Amino acid sequence: MMKNTITKSLSFLLLFLFLSFFVSALYSNSQKQQDHSIADVKKLPKLKTLIMGDSQCLRGIDPRVFDSAFNYASTGESIIVSYYKLKDLLETRTDIDQIVLTSTLGYFGESKSDYISKPYLWKEMIDFQEIAQIKNKHRLYLYKFLKTYFFAYKGMREEFFERHFADVPEEIPYYKGFRPKPTGYYLDVSQIADKQFKDKKLFDESLLIYLNMFLELAQKHGIQVTMVRMPVSQRYHDKVMSYITEDKLAERCLELKKKFADFVFLDYLNIYWGQEEEVLFDDTHLNEEAALSFSRLLVDSLPINHKSGAASAFFSFYAIKVESI
Amino acid sequence: MSWKLEYVFLIAASTLLDYLCALQMAKKQTKPERKPYLIASVIGNLGMLFAFKYFNFFSSCFSGPVLNVILPVGISFYTFQTLSYSIDVYRGKMKPETHLGRFALYVSFFPQLVAGPIERASRLLPQFKLEHDWNAVRARDGLVLMLWGLFRKVVVADNIALFVNSVFETDKEFGGLSILLAAYIFTFQVYLDFAAYSEIARGAAKVMGYDLMINFKRPYHATSLTDLWQRWHISLMTWLRDYIYVPMTSSKDSKWKKSRNLLLVFFLSGLWHGASWTFIVWGLLHGIFLVIENLTKTIRAQIYDHFFTTSSRLRFFIKNTITITILSVVGLFFRASSLDQGFSMLLRVFDFTTYRFDFGVQNYKLLIFCILVMALILIIEAVEERLSWEAMFLQSSLVFRWTIYSLMIMACFAFIAIKSQPFVYFQF
């Protein structure tokens, strides 16, 4: 009787995992089809500047002001995911000569330590076993591996329902990976600082290991890396500073410069203080107009100047429909 | 509702009090001799309930002091459960439980401790005395019940709640039509949420070999309020009937006295749900509608008989629609955060000049989802009134059943809310 029960239970578990794997793969593929960036970055005829980072980068750096650039950032992306995305891309592309890697307050912080946003999009690139070994967190990354391959659809309710409660237009125009946010809003999201920084360390050493790996990989391929700290509002900054006593990112970057001579760090954290209403979509993201002017400023400050002819032209993404490259 | 370690002492005190009172009552031959112990049990349990659930409400009504307490988990349920035991022993309907551990298990039986069903000692205690061997079929049935409950809670109730929340949180922006729709959907949400908890509780108990009572019997197929309350939260309604209404009422009483007693029962039902005027108004309104229904029973029957045959589907539809509409519109007070909000929303439901399609683009998708799942569940239940899905389902092939189970589990993963959404009845 008991043997029969165990056999049946295991058989059911196998059937469930099989179906779940199938549905998970279907969901992952449907999401990938909505997200053009992986396919598009590989199809580009020419790519000189690769832009990487999280949503602040995705919304804030306009690749059209560069000559042959692509914004390969994604929402919630950590340096771990950026590293594996770069590693995957460099297997096929050899024409990249500079990377703009954005960093935000908390980009190397504890809250990002084991966070992988939408791992199913990058599942073929991410080496879960390697992360587990580097971080010495085998159980956690086995769980993440199983979740990615068998339960990618978990929480899809958010996609299905909750996006429809957004206060602003959700259809985001897409151009060379860039997804700007509309102008005319300044949403208060400063409370996210609580989640990101309360009782948390500003630097997670395992993320700094990945930054090192990222820079080593870039160096091996002769690619110059510039780390850009993106602008935020003063109220968000002050809230963050109420949790952390010292902001030592610049100091840590100077240490890295000893090892990677051509590594550059540009800090734009406070450049828009006092004019937040005009330039920010919310406390941590630039709006469409500001993204353009910020990108123009950035392209002139980079060590390798790949400025496009269109850099000084006026264009509005919200005036056009979704456009492929 | 919340949990603190100190609250173990409350449930322990309630357990000990009723255990000892029942033992003492068993030693006495007559009811008058047993009465002091019954009174001690009633005062002890209701006193505890009053202190933790109602004191602040009544005190604030008279601008009195406020106690810094939070509502202990499950207190409304286990105090009623232990009270029913004491009253049954007092009435001589059952013998007291002499084993303290077994009695404590009856009071704190985990599947139903937090939100019922409010079990009677005469049903549950004898089950604790039986030996339970492992039974794979029973365990499977229990797990299927739990899965069905989880599915109804996570996939349906929590998601239709998104529409309800959006209307109730910014109700001033909406006209009567949206409010009416939100009222219908909210009542359905409460039904699914609470029925889901009851199914999970029944399922968990069944896996271990215990049978808990059925708390909901397809209430959306009720054709009158009387019928509705025999199908909705059955454990509470039968408790109120057996321990409050029946002792106060005899068949010889005038219809006015019966109506008064009915009003009292529904007033208490409202108060049981929460220490707030909104719940009291909710209970009283249900009482008033039930009294009206009872007083007009003959004339309504004559009207229906004049226009429809007894088996007419249209007759069923009209009666059912009226019942569900009353349940839903009165339900506005159940969800409203204040009496002002409740009355303001109620007035707009009856102000047809405010009717417009104003639920906003973002709510359309949700509304369609709500209507589709409500229709689907009502169809499933309509068929179930005539034949047993369960029997049909269990006769189907193993692969088919396992595929359905798998899809239900996957749906739960897919639709689970990121923030935890507690069961509605956990607050009581």
Side-chain angles (χ1 to χ4, degrees), chain B residues 18 21-26 28-39 41-42 82-96 243 247:
Chain B
D18 290 290
C21 286
L23 285 181
Q24 290 306 311
M25 279 191 270
K28 311 294 175 192
Q29 297 300 314
T30 62
K31 276 190 175 180
E33 286 176 310
R34 295 198 285 263
K35 206 160 201 167
Y37 299 103
L38 176 69
I39 291 170
S41 167
V42 170
T82 50
L83 264 179
S84 71
Y85 166 76
S86 298
I87 298 169
D88 283 351
V89 173
Y90 166 77
R91 288 175 178 171
K93 282 190 175 175
M94 68 174 294
K95 288 184 176 168
Y243 299 107

Side-chain angles (χ1 to χ4, degrees), chain A residues 1-2 5 7-9 11-13 15-16 19-21 23 151 153-162 164-166, chain B residues 134-137 154 158-159 162 166 362-363 365-366 369 398-399 402-403 405-406 409-410 413-418 421:
Chain A
M1 180 72 174
M2 194 50 106
T5 306
T7 313
K8 270 189 161 182
S9 304
S11 309
F12 172 71
L13 188 67
L15 176 78
F16 170 71
L19 287 172
S20 193
F21 180 80
V23 171
F151 301 99
Y153 55 86
K154 179 179 173 279
M156 64 173 264
R157 149 199 165 121
E158 195 191 8
E159 308 281 330
F160 200 70
F161 293 122
E162 291 179 3
H164 293 265
F165 286 99
Chain B
W134 168 253
N135 183 321
V137 175
V154 171
D158 285 354
N159 288 303
L162 293 174
S166 77
Q362 69 267 37
N363 273 346
K365 198 172 179 180
L366 270 175
F369 173 81
L398 191 69
V399 175
W402 283 9
T403 306
Y405 298 151
S406 299
I409 296 171
M410 281 189 267
F413 275 115
F415 285 90
I416 198 160
I418 292 164
Q421 302 216 359

Side-chain angles (χ1 to χ4, degrees), chain B residues 52-347:
Chain B
F52 284 90
K53 189 168 178 175
Y54 300 108
F55 178 82
N56 285 346
F57 168 65
F58 287 111
S59 182
S60 63
C61 291
F62 302 104
S63 308
V66 171
L67 294 177
N68 185 22
V69 289
I70 44 175
L71 187 62
V73 63
I75 191 167
S76 306
F77 291 90
Y78 71 74
T79 46
F80 268 42
Q81 192 156 301
T82 50
L83 264 179
S84 71
Y85 166 76
S86 298
I87 298 169
D88 283 351
V89 173
Y90 166 77
R91 288 175 178 171
K93 282 190 175 175
M94 68 174 294
K95 288 184 176 168
E97 174 57 56
T98 51
H99 193 290
L100 178 61
R102 203 174 282 138
F103 181 70
L105 180 60
Y106 160 68
V107 181
S108 59
F109 189 50
F110 84 88
Q112 43 85 251
L113 171 67
V114 181
I118 303 166
E119 280 292 339
R120 303 294 172 83
S122 53
R123 255 183 64 86
L124 203 52
L125 273 171
Q127 294 186 53
F128 293 146
K129 291 175 185 166
L130 301 174
E131 280 200 16
H132 296 274
D133 295 327
W134 168 253
N135 183 321
V137 175
R138 192 187 60 216
R140 179 205 63 191
D141 291 348
L143 288 171
V144 170
L145 254 182
M146 289 171 79
L147 178 59
W148 178 232
L150 200 64
F151 179 84
R152 298 220 287 180
K153 162 73 178 159
V154 171
V155 180
V156 188
D158 285 354
N159 288 303
I160 67 175
L162 293 174
F163 180 84
V164 175
N165 294 345
S166 77
V167 174
F168 275 86
E169 280 161 17
T170 52
D171 72 285
K172 298 263 185 298
E173 293 172 14
F174 295 97
L177 181 62
S178 292
I179 291 172
L180 184 63
L181 284 170
Y184 276 116
I185 295 169
F186 169 66
T187 311
F188 199 71
Q189 179 209 334
V190 174
Y191 160 53
L192 287 182
D193 190 285
F194 195 19
Y197 179 84
S198 301
E199 274 149 11
I200 293 170
R202 284 181 56 227
K206 196 164 199 162
V207 170
M208 297 183 289
Y210 304 101
D211 279 321
L212 298 183
M213 70 181 293
I214 293 172
N215 219 6
F216 289 86
K217 279 184 186 163
R218 298 181 285 283
Y220 272 74
H221 292 270
T223 51
S224 68
L225 290 171
T226 311
D227 186 19
L228 176 79
W229 293 115
Q230 284 166 3
R231 292 165 175 262
W232 183 292
H233 201 174
I234 298 165
S235 65
L236 176 69
M237 297 322 291
T238 50
W239 196 100
L240 293 170
R241 180 196 66 198
D242 295 346
Y243 299 107
I244 295 178
Y245 183 77
V246 171
M248 290 196 308
T249 318
S250 83
S251 54
K252 291 172 193 165
D253 285 342
S254 71
K255 56 187 174 187
W256 300 112
K257 193 176 173 194
K258 284 179 183 167
S259 300
R260 183 204 65 189
N261 294 348
L262 208 52
L263 268 179
L264 178 69
V265 164
F266 275 86
F267 164 77
L268 290 174
S269 162
L271 200 59
W272 179 89
H273 278 89
S276 152
W277 286 109
T278 51
F279 288 114
I280 292 172
V281 170
W282 172 81
L284 280 173
L285 283 174
H286 272 301
I288 290 167
F289 277 113
L290 207 52
V291 167
I292 294 170
E293 182 178 279
N294 286 344
L295 295 177
T296 59
K297 198 173 179 178
T298 318
I299 191 160
R300 280 185 303 105
Q302 283 168 352
I303 293 168
Y304 282 122
D305 289 343
H306 182 74
F307 289 104
F308 310 104
T309 59
T310 321
S311 58
S312 160
R313 285 190 180 177
L314 189 58
R315 178 181 179 143
F316 167 83
F317 177 76
I318 293 170
K319 291 174 82 173
N320 176 255
T321 305
I322 292 170
T323 307
I324 300 308
T325 303
I326 292 171
L327 175 74
S328 304
V329 173
V330 173
L332 284 170
F333 287 94
F334 198 93
R335 177 64 172 77
S337 52
S338 66
L339 270 188
D340 281 350
Q341 190 193 24
F343 280 116
S344 143
M345 291 176 86
L346 184 68
L347 287 175

